[in-house]
Amino acid sequence: MDSSNGILWAGGLDEKDGLGRRSGSVSPLPISSRPPSPLPPSSKGNEKAAGWSMKALNGVSSKRFLGKHLRKISTSLPSYSPFSPAGPSAGSKTPATPRGRFFNPLHTARLFVLSRPKASAIYLIIGVFILLLLSPFLKRGFRSTRFLGGGHRFVIILAANHGGGVMEWKNAQQWASERESIANKKHYANKWGYHLEIKDMSTKKKYAHEWRESWEKVDIIKQTMRQYPKAEWFWWLDLHTYIMEPSLSLQGHIFNHLNEITYRDISIYNPLNITHPQSNAEYPYLTDDEKSPIGDGKADSINLIVPQDCGGFNLGSFFIRRSDWSERLLDIWWDPVGYEQKHMDWEHKEQDALEYLYINQPWIRTSTAFIPQRMINSFPPGACAETPNDPRIFYNERDRDFVVNMAGCEWGRDCWGEMSAYKRLSKKLNRTLWQKIWGKK
């Protein structure tokens, strides 16, 4: 109300839309046109009550008006989300998408993260962990890392002779056996993050004229150690071996409890009847460790792990550790002087040479440990004919032995037949739960 001219300014309202017919404008109304007051102005109490009544009425009306007005404005505004579909262009007959009906997963995820940051962090960690476990490529990297899996410490050495050897060329079955053996080692190495070094023996025939072909594994080990300067353990595997239980890691199967599964005293199983320890009368210069049947008894001092079969040391599957001790052993083992003097007497070549060094060099015994044969080198029936019923030597399906070595299969046995049979058995024993349910072999 303007006191100067006695005019009350009021906007004309339309109950239909809550706005004046001339939205945003006001019209002056004379005081005489204002509705009469329900109470006489002469009474002060009545004037006060009328004032409170009019204030309450105006407050309710203003709330209704503003609420309705704001709702209309908010519903008429366009959506500015970058993921919402664009509205219809000028002249387009396609109606705009109703606001609120378009689902935006990114916006929903953002709201969830902002409202529940702790729960979001937990879900993120769980998702990353599941992804690491399920992805084979990430799994290999996870298992090969220094602090998590430790697979970088191990190198598998497999010697393959693509040329067929010194004496004859390979036939189709021999080629098939080699392919199966290589595929088996590749699968295992990829599963656990180990290094795999496949050595081509056909390029190493510099001693072929002397029939020194099997001696090359010593030279190959030395080369591989130079190739992998950060690796610690090197696992030699002959070509006619097959890893039956790929679910077993070297760490869990052997190296996490090395002292418990190996033995230093060869008297526990001694097919060669080697005197151990050596006598002081014959070797008066022996140290305390060399006099002891178990050396110093510490796992850290083990540098060579060898299984024994019915005939003595077996090097179809064995481990050697990088160390000064190993460098010294390999140099003496590969020395051509020993080969020139004894190669006609040593039927098993490098195995007989290692046995000779173990018997006559006391320092070699201090870092050599033996492992039960079936831990890494089980034999199939037909090998070790001298002891056909020895349970310490032959593969046992019930115990799920780790590795089968078809040693000597090229001498009167069927290498390919044995390789394919153990391959089928390994697949059968390592079926997944889904394969067992659906009866897949």
Side-chain angles (χ1 to χ4, degrees):
M1 177 178 182
D2 192 345
S3 58
S4 61
N5 53 14
I7 296 176
L8 175 67
W9 294 90
L13 298 178
D14 187 355
E15 294 182 358
K16 209 175 214 183
D17 56 9
L19 297 174
R21 290 183 178 86
R22 291 161 52 191
S23 179
S25 63
V26 292
S27 58
L29 296 177
I31 297 178
S32 59
S33 63
R34 187 179 63 180
S37 175
L39 297 175
S42 59
S43 173
K44 294 183 178 180
N46 291 341
E47 286 183 1
K48 187 174 182 180
W52 282 109
S53 176
M54 290 301 296
K55 287 182 180 178
L57 182 62
N58 291 335
V60 172
S61 301
S62 62
K63 287 182 180 179
R64 290 179 180 175
F65 168 73
L66 290 176
K68 191 173 182 180
H69 184 61
L70 292 176
R71 282 197 301 272
K72 282 186 172 291
I73 293 177
S74 63
T75 54
S76 63
L77 290 174
S79 175
Y80 292 99
S81 172
F83 302 99
S84 301
S89 57
S92 174
K93 297 182 180 180
T94 305
T97 303
R99 186 177 181 273
R101 296 186 182 181
F102 180 74
F103 176 71
N104 185 355
L106 295 178
H107 181 66
T108 305
R110 177 176 173 272
L111 292 178
F112 181 81
V113 171
L114 293 177
S115 60
R116 299 181 179 179
K118 293 183 178 180
S120 303
I122 294 174
Y123 290 149
L124 179 61
I125 294 173
I126 294 175
V128 171
F129 182 75
I130 293 175
L131 184 63
L132 289 174
L133 292 179
L134 295 182
S135 174
F137 300 103
L138 294 177
K139 187 187 297 184
R140 171 178 169 80
F142 173 83
R143 288 174 171 171
S144 64
T145 53
R146 181 181 300 273
F147 301 105
L148 299 177
H152 71 286
R153 298 167 48 212
F154 302 92
V155 179
I156 302 173
I157 307 174
L158 180 67
N161 197 335
H162 299 294
V166 174
M167 303 301 294
E168 63 180 5
W169 293 91
K170 292 185 296 188
N171 55 36
Q173 291 185 346
Q174 290 172 332
W175 280 109
S177 297
E178 182 173 298
R179 287 194 300 269
E180 293 293 346
S181 179
I182 292 175
N184 174 248
K185 310 308 183 295
K186 284 183 176 180
H187 171 72
Y188 183 74
N190 290 332
K191 180 179 180 65
W192 292 105
Y194 304 143
H195 302 289
L196 175 62
E197 187 65 25
I198 302 174
K199 292 296 186 179
D200 186 3
M201 300 286 286
S202 63
T203 62
K204 301 293 296 180
K205 292 185 179 179
K206 56 185 177 182
Y207 296 105
H209 64 287
E210 297 174 342
W211 203 5
R212 199 184 180 190
E213 191 176 26
S214 64
W215 284 67
E216 291 176 352
K217 66 174 57 176
V218 182
D219 193 27
I220 289 174
I221 292 173
K222 295 175 65 176
Q223 294 175 14
T224 309
M225 284 186 172
R226 290 192 293 268
Q227 286 181 253
Y228 297 89
K230 296 183 179 180
E232 180 181 2
W233 283 98
F234 298 82
W235 183 18
W236 177 276
L237 284 173
D238 279 353
L239 184 62
H240 292 137
T241 56
Y242 199 86
I243 300 174
M244 297 293 293
E245 298 296 330
S247 60
L248 297 178
S249 67
L250 295 178
Q251 299 95 311
H253 186 53
I254 299 172
F255 291 96
N256 289 347
H257 41 93
L258 189 59
N259 253 350
E260 289 76 15
I261 65 171
T262 58
Y263 58 96
R264 311 281 279 272
D265 187 359
I266 196 174
S267 302
I268 295 176
Y269 180 63
N270 192 2
L272 296 175
N273 295 320
I274 298 174
T275 302
H276 184 76
Q278 294 164 317
S279 63
N280 286 334
E282 187 176 0
Y283 299 93
Y285 51 83
L286 296 180
T287 64
D288 293 339
D289 290 344
E290 293 170 348
K291 293 177 184 178
S292 172
I294 61 171
D296 62 1
K298 298 179 181 178
D300 294 339
S301 65
I302 297 176
N303 293 301
L304 180 65
I305 304 174
V306 180
Q308 295 188 91
D309 59 24
C310 57
F313 294 7
N314 188 287
L315 299 181
S317 172
F318 71 97
F319 293 92
I320 187 168
R321 185 181 193 173
R322 179 194 302 280
S323 65
D324 294 336
W325 182 95
S326 300
E327 291 287 345
R328 183 182 177 191
L329 171 64
L330 293 173
D331 287 341
I332 297 175
W333 196 358
W334 182 241
D335 195 323
V337 174
Y339 164 75
E340 289 291 346
Q341 293 180 353
K342 304 290 291 184
H343 74 279
M344 296 300 294
D345 299 331
W346 290 337
E347 179 183 359
H348 298 290
K349 307 175 180 67
E350 81 289 346
Q351 291 182 178
D352 291 340
L354 182 60
E355 292 170 355
Y356 179 85
L357 293 173
Y358 181 86
I359 293 171
N360 295 281
Q361 299 292 332
W363 63 272
I364 293 180
R365 302 191 185 196
T366 60
S367 292
T368 301
F370 300 95
I371 189 170
Q373 182 179 352
R374 286 176 50 198
M375 290 287 295
I376 61 170
N377 198 38
S378 298
F379 277 1
C384 272
E386 298 86 352
T387 56
N389 299 318
D390 194 338
R392 296 171 295 184
I393 296 176
F394 299 100
Y395 175 80
N396 190 317
E397 179 182 345
R398 182 184 303 173
D399 294 337
R400 306 284 292 270
D401 292 347
F402 182 40
V403 176
V404 173
N405 180 9
M406 288 145 273
C409 64
E410 64 271 18
W411 307 104
R413 304 204 321 263
D414 184 6
C415 294
W416 165 243
E418 292 182 8
M419 179 76 71
S420 58
Y422 281 109
K423 176 186 175 182
R424 291 192 298 270
L425 179 59
S426 177
K427 285 187 175 181
K428 175 185 174 183
L429 296 175
N430 292 278
R431 290 181 300 170
T432 63
L433 180 61
W434 181 262
Q435 291 172 333
K436 292 179 180 179
I437 293 175
W438 289 96
K440 295 183 179 181
K441 298 183 179 180

